[in-house]
Amino acid sequence: MEQQPAPAPDGPVGAIETVFRMESPRVIAGVARIVRDVGIAEELAQDALVAALEQWPRDGVPDNPGAWLMAAAKHRAIDLVRRRERYARKLEEVGRDLEAAPYHVNVPSDPDDIDDDLLRLVFTACHPVLSAESRIALTLRLLGGLTTAEIARAFLVLEATVAQRIVRAKRTLATKGVAFEVPYGPEREARLGSVLEVIYLVFNEGYAATAGDDLLRPALCEDALRLARVLAELMPKEPEVHGLAALLEFQASRTAARTGPDGGPVLLKDQNRARWNRLLIARGIAALGRADEVSPKLSASVPGPYVLQAAIAACHALAHTYEETDWARIATLYGLLSARCPSPVVELNRAVAVSMAEGPGPALEIVDRLAGEPALRDYHLLPSVRGDLLARLGRAAEAREEFVRAAALSRNERERELLTARAEDCR
C-alpha cells in the first residue's frame, strides 16, 4: 500500500506557515544577493511573511505562494537599497530587472562561479571570521529554516547557546562587511569542511526530524542533496565532496520505505527493500566510485569521514535482505571512522554493527562505556539502543525501562510512539 501524503494544514494561515518553512531559505538567499547582509535579508523575509499573514487570509493564497513571498521580500529589499545613498550605483545595476524578474530566473555568471543563491548563502555563512559552531548554526537557521531548538538538538547543546551563536554570527558578518559571494582558490578549500558539515546536518534534520509530528521533512533532504550534487560538479577532485554526495544518495534512496501508511517509522530490518530507489542507489555507487578515483592511493591513507560513511551506507544498499548485510565490514568501517573522527555517536553506531556481527553481549559493553558521556545524556538513541540489546539478551524488564526513558527523551512524536510500543512489547 502506497503511503498517502499528509494532509496540508487547514486555511490560509496553515498554508503560509508551510510555504514559508519551505521557501524561506530561497527568499533569504535571493534577498541577500541584493542587500549583501544575511541578517537584514532574514528580517526582510520575515516582513514578507507578515505581509502574507495580512493579505492571504483576505485575498486567498496565490497560485505560486513561493514566488509571491520572494517578490514581496525583493520589493522591500529594493526599497531599502533606494533609501541608502551609498547603494545608488548598485541599484542602477540591479534594480531595473529585479522588480519584474521571476525569482527563479538565474543571472548569467562567471563559469567558475556557483549560480545558486542557496549555495552562495552557505559559503557566506561559513566565513572564517565565524567559529565553526557559529557557521553551522547560522547556516542551518538560514538555509534549513530550523528553529534554535532543532539546531540545539542536532548539536546536543543548550538552546540558549545556539541562539547566542546565531545572533553573534549575524552581527559579526555585518560588522566585518563579509561579501555575499562564493570564495575562490585556497579560501574556498578552507571553507569546504564547514560547508560539507552544514549540508550533512541539514539532510539529517530532514531525514529524521528532531521534533514535531512527522518523521521526515523531505524538502530539507532535497535541498541538501541538490547542494551536494552541485558541490560535486564544482569540485570534482575532492573525494570528501563525492563521499558526501554518495552518502546522501544512499540515505535518500530509503526514504519511501522508512515510514508506514500511518506515517510511523519502519525499522531498517522491517523495510520493504523493493521500495528503495534503485536510481539513487546507482547514483550513490557512482559517486562513491568517483571518490575512490580521486582519493590518495597511499597504503597508509585512511578515507575521510564522509567516504567512510558512504561505504557503510553502500553495505546496506547492496544487501538484498537484512540478513545478507555485511555487518562485519560495517563494524570495521565504523572502527575506522571512530579512529578518524572520535565521537560518542559514532561509537554508538559501531555498537549496533557489533551487535549484529558478534552478538548483543559485546555490543552492550560498548554501550555501557558510553553511559557517562555528557553529549549523550539527553540523546534518546542511547537508551533505545541499550533497550534493544537488553531485549535480545532476554532482560525484558530492564529493556522496558530503557525504552520508556528513550520515549521520554524523544521530541519527535512518531519516534516516541514507536519507542512506547517497544516498551509495551517488553511486558
Side-chain angles (χ1 to χ4, degrees), residues 8 171 181 191 219 228 286 335 345 380:
R171 185 186 301 125
E181 62 186 10
R191 283 199 241 171
V345 174
H380 70 284

Side-chain angles (χ1 to χ4, degrees), residues 88-123:
R89 183 171 298 177
K90 185 63 179 177
L91 173 64
E92 183 179 350
E93 297 172 1
V94 303
R96 291 190 299 269
D97 299 325
L98 284 173
E99 292 186 83
Y103 80 95
H104 59 274
V105 174
N106 292 320
V107 179
S109 61
D110 187 280
D112 194 36
D113 196 5
I114 304 174
D115 198 11
D116 189 302
D117 282 341
L118 281 173
L119 198 56
R120 190 172 287 109
L121 179 62
V122 175
F123 269 99

Side-chain angles (χ1 to χ4, degrees), residues 10 48 60 88 112 135-136 147 149 199 219 223 225 258 261 267 273 292 294 309 347 351 361 365 375 409 425:
D10 295 332
D112 194 36
R135 297 174 207 170
I136 296 167
T147 65
I199 295 174
D223 275 341
L225 186 54
R258 293 187 65 241
L267 298 176
R273 300 191 176 212
D292 182 64
V294 299
Q309 291 179 78
E347 196 67 2
E365 294 177 8
L409 289 173
D425 288 343

